[in-house]
Every structure is written in structure tokens, then in C-alpha cells.
């Protein structure tokens, strides 16, 4: 009889431990989710594309899009292209769908662009002559930075 009681006590202890572990994991996840929802979340996408005005299509541009995927509004204050050496090209306000600083509420975005030919000339002047890895970067008024994935930019190709 003692042996059965000992086994059932161990089973009770094991079940209690499992329930406590589950509760701890669940509360940790919920705390993380609440913190994540309060933090600004901006997704940056860098790509090649074209601008359109009526039926006209522009020459190739590098497009940078910042989208607020979080619940908290974010005020973007600057944007640019990061170069491999850590320096950057800053975007001018007339090359965007909105002027900086601009507030992005949940689900809103802003797009900015660089014309590839002048960019290639400037990169050549800085000593770049082959393929350069570029990344779109935005920052907000709270000094948070949001950086996109790299794209490859062939300086020589765009100089032709």
C-alpha cells in the first residue's frame, strides 16, 4: 500500500510540475507579446523599380519602403542608403511620397527612391567600381533604426 501511495504522489508532483511549467511559459510569452506590441515595428524593403506618371514609366530607381507593422505610431525622421563602409547616402525630401519627418500609423507606409545613374556616378566618385551591397535605412525621432535586406548594385552597369 505504501508503494502505491508513493507512486501516486510522484505522479501528482509530476503533473503539478508540468502545469507550473506550462503556466510559466504562457506568462512569459504573453509578457513578450505585450512588450513587442508596445515597441515600434517598421519593416524596410529595398528593391529596384520604376516611377510612373500617367502612361510614362521612369528610368530604373532604387525604391525604399518603410511600413509600420506595429500598433504604435512611428515618426520617421531620416532615410538613406547604407554603404559597405558604414557611410550612407541621405535621401532628399522631394524623392518620396511624404516629406520627413512623417508619422506612420499602423499599416501605413512611405516610399523613397534614388535614381540609379546619379547614384552610380556618386559611388564611382567614392571609389566603388564593381558590385556594391546597399541597404535601405530609416530612423525615427526616438533614434531607433530600421534597416532592410541588402541589394546588389552594379556600379559599372548603371554608368553605361
Amino acid at each position: 500500500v505504501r508503494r502505491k501511495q508513493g507512486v501516486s504522489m510522484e505522479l501528482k508532483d509530476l503533473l503539478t510540475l508540468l502545469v507550473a511549467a506550462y503556466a510559466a511559459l504562457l506568462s512569459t510569452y504573453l509578457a513578450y507579446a505585450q512588450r513587442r506590441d508596445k515597441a515600434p515595428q517598421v519593416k524596410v524593403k529595398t528593391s529596384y523599380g520604376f516611377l510612373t506618371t500617367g502612361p510614362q514609366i521612369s528610368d530604373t530607381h532604387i525604391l525604399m519602403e518603410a511600413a509600420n507593422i506595429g500598433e504604435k505610431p512611428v515618426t520617421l525622421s531620416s532615410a538613406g542608403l547604407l554603404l559597405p563602409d558604414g557611410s550612407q547616402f541621405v535621401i532628399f525630401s522631394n524623392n518620396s511620397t511624404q516629406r520627413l519627418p512623417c508619422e506612420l500609423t499602423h499599416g501605413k507606409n512611405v516610399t523613397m527612391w534614388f535614381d540609379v545613374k546619379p547614384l552610380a556616378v556618386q559611388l564611382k566618385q567614392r571609389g566603388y567600381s564593381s558590385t556594391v551591397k546597399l541597404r535601405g535605412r530609416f530612423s525615427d525621432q526616438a533614434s531607433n533604426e530600421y534597416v532592410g535586406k541588402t541589394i546588389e548594385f552594379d556600379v559599372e552597369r548603371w554608368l553605361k
Side-chain angles (χ1 to χ4, degrees):
V1 174
R2 283 186 186 171
R3 186 173 182 148
K4 285 184 181 178
Q5 286 177 346
V7 169
S8 67
M9 288 294 278
E10 289 176 11
L11 184 58
K12 264 190 198 176
D13 292 341
L14 181 61
L15 288 173
T16 301
L17 179 64
L18 289 173
V19 169
Y22 174 75
L25 287 172
L26 183 60
S27 66
T28 301
Y29 172 75
L30 290 175
Y32 166 77
Q34 285 178 338
R35 181 180 168 107
R36 181 193 65 210
D37 290 344
K38 289 181 182 176
Q41 296 179 26
V42 175
K43 182 178 181 179
V44 176
K45 180 181 173 186
T46 310
S47 62
Y48 288 97
F50 305 95
L51 305 176
T52 59
T53 47
Q56 303 296 319
I57 295 178
S58 72
D59 290 333
T60 306
H61 286 73
I62 291 181
L63 305 176
M64 299 181 346
E65 179 186 41
N68 184 354
I69 59 172
E71 296 298 321
K72 182 179 181 181
V74 177
T75 301
L76 298 178
S77 57
S78 68
L81 284 172
L82 291 176
L83 302 177
D85 66 3
S87 65
Q88 67 178 324
F89 284 110
V90 177
I91 196 91
F92 298 105
S93 60
N94 60 341
N95 289 2
S96 65
T97 55
Q98 295 182 48
R99 291 183 158 233
L100 295 178
C102 70
E103 181 180 68
L104 295 181
T105 56
H106 172 73
K108 298 296 181 185
N109 63 11
V110 62
T111 301
M112 302 189 163
W113 55 86
F114 286 92
D115 188 342
V116 294
K117 289 181 183 182
L119 179 61
V121 169
Q122 290 181 32
L123 287 169
K124 184 75 169 180
Q125 290 172 350
R126 289 192 182 194
Y128 292 98
S129 61
S130 60
T131 302
V132 180
K133 292 187 177 186
L134 303 174
R135 299 175 78 185
R137 183 208 56 85
F138 289 84
S139 64
D140 65 20
Q141 290 184 328
S143 298
N144 296 313
E145 287 202 359
Y146 311 97
V147 181
K149 294 179 182 177
T150 61
I151 63 167
E152 292 189 354
F153 184 86
D154 186 344
V155 175
E156 296 301 324
R157 173 185 175 203
W158 296 112
L159 286 174
K160 296 178 183 177

